[in-house]
Amino acid sequence: MILDTDFIIIGSIIIILLTPLYIYRKKVYNFFTRQGDFETFEENIKNYLHTYYPKIEFDYSIIQKTKMEKDAKLRQILVIEDLVSQFFDFEYELETQKCIHKNFLWSTYEQNCKPIKEKLPNDWSKRKEFTYRRDNCKCKRCGLNIELIDAQIILIRPLANGGGYNFENLITLCSDCNKILNSQIKSIKSSLIEDALLTKTTVK
């Protein structure tokens, strides 16, 4: 009976001590993990960019520059904006690409290389897939792995400048890089890379 009373008393004391901790658990958690959260974010963002955009060498000095920022969320946003700007500012020049071995070419390949009234050739889907496979299913500018359906196959030399639909003049790009090289982006907002960094690397 004495043991039962002691157990009840000790249990009650433990509950009383743990109740405030439970009530304020979020604040306590945020206090002890605030620095760790940013370190996790830093690791996440470096791993993500290295894995998905291997052709671009990002400068992470922005992390050190923002170390005095106490708001972890704001600091994450500042870092992401800087890295996204680097992605858009990365210089890349379109160059003639590898041809496809003649054994894989079809009988109408040569005649369909020259544009007719600037329309896509009848075998465009085949040319797109061959170009995509030749480029290892990746964007040639940033190295992002992309699905065939999302691949942007563009002409290195425009039709107006004498370019054609031969494989040496075709290159695979992701959506962002295609827009960058065609000067279709007015701002860096709503880009695929920014959306990915905000959703996949930020720590709540």
Side-chain angles (χ1 to χ4, degrees):
M1 193 68 181
I2 296 175
L3 288 176
D4 290 342
T5 304
D6 290 343
F7 179 78
I8 292 172
I9 293 173
I10 294 172
S12 299
I13 292 173
I14 292 174
I15 291 173
I16 292 171
L17 291 174
L18 291 179
T19 298
L21 183 62
Y22 176 77
I23 293 173
Y24 298 104
R25 63 190 183 280
K26 288 186 177 180
K27 290 184 178 180
V28 172
Y29 175 81
N30 289 337
F31 177 79
F32 285 107
T33 61
R34 183 168 50 192
Q35 181 59 33
D37 280 352
F38 191 84
E39 290 174 357
T40 300
F41 162 75
E42 182 180 344
E43 182 180 351
N44 287 349
I45 206 164
K46 287 181 178 179
N47 288 338
Y48 184 85
L49 292 174
H50 177 73
T51 301
Y52 291 95
Y53 300 95
K55 290 196 171 186
I56 299 180
E57 293 185 10
F58 289 92
D59 175 8
Y60 296 99
S61 60
I62 184 64
I63 293 174
Q64 184 66 19
K65 292 176 182 177
T66 57
K67 68 178 182 178
M68 300 305 291
E69 176 56 58
K70 295 180 180 179
D71 186 329
K73 279 293 180 186
L74 176 58
R75 188 180 179 195
Q76 290 179 17
I77 296 298
L78 292 173
V79 169
I80 288 175
E81 287 183 349
D82 182 86
L83 294 172
V84 171
S85 293
Q86 290 183 47
F87 173 82
F88 277 82
D89 293 338
F90 176 68
E91 293 185 8
Y92 178 81
E93 291 187 13
L94 292 171
E95 298 177 346
T96 301
Q97 299 298 299
K98 293 181 180 179
C99 61
I100 302 293
H101 195 280
K102 61 181 181 180
N103 291 342
F104 295 103
L105 301 180
W106 48 99
S107 59
T108 58
Y109 167 76
E110 287 294 341
Q111 68 185 52
N112 284 335
C113 284
K114 297 180 180 180
I116 300 176
K117 296 181 180 180
E118 295 192 359
K119 291 184 179 181
L120 291 174
N122 296 332
D123 54 8
W124 174 249
S125 60
K126 196 171 184 178
R127 290 173 189 263
K128 177 178 179 177
E129 183 172 358
F130 272 52
T131 303
Y132 172 75
R133 302 294 177 195
R134 179 203 64 192
D135 295 341
N136 298 314
C137 312
K138 298 178 180 180
C139 173
K140 294 288 285 186
R141 178 179 180 268
C142 69
L144 179 68
N145 276 297
I146 45 180
E147 298 293 332
L148 176 60
I149 192 171
D150 298 319
Q152 306 292 315
I153 308 299
I154 70 165
L155 300 178
I156 297 168
R157 187 177 182 183
L159 298 177
N161 294 338
Y165 293 104
N166 52 303
F167 287 117
E168 296 90 337
N169 198 44
L170 300 177
I171 190 171
T172 305
L173 298 174
C174 68
S175 178
D176 278 346
C177 289
N178 177 47
K179 291 176 181 177
I180 292 168
L181 294 179
N182 284 286
S183 302
Q184 295 176 5
I185 288 185
K186 300 299 182 182
S187 71
I188 62 176
K189 298 298 180 184
S190 300
S191 61
L192 294 177
I193 184 173
E194 183 180 41
D195 292 343
L197 292 179
L198 286 171
T199 58
K200 297 180 180 180
T201 67
T202 52
V203 179
K204 297 180 180 180

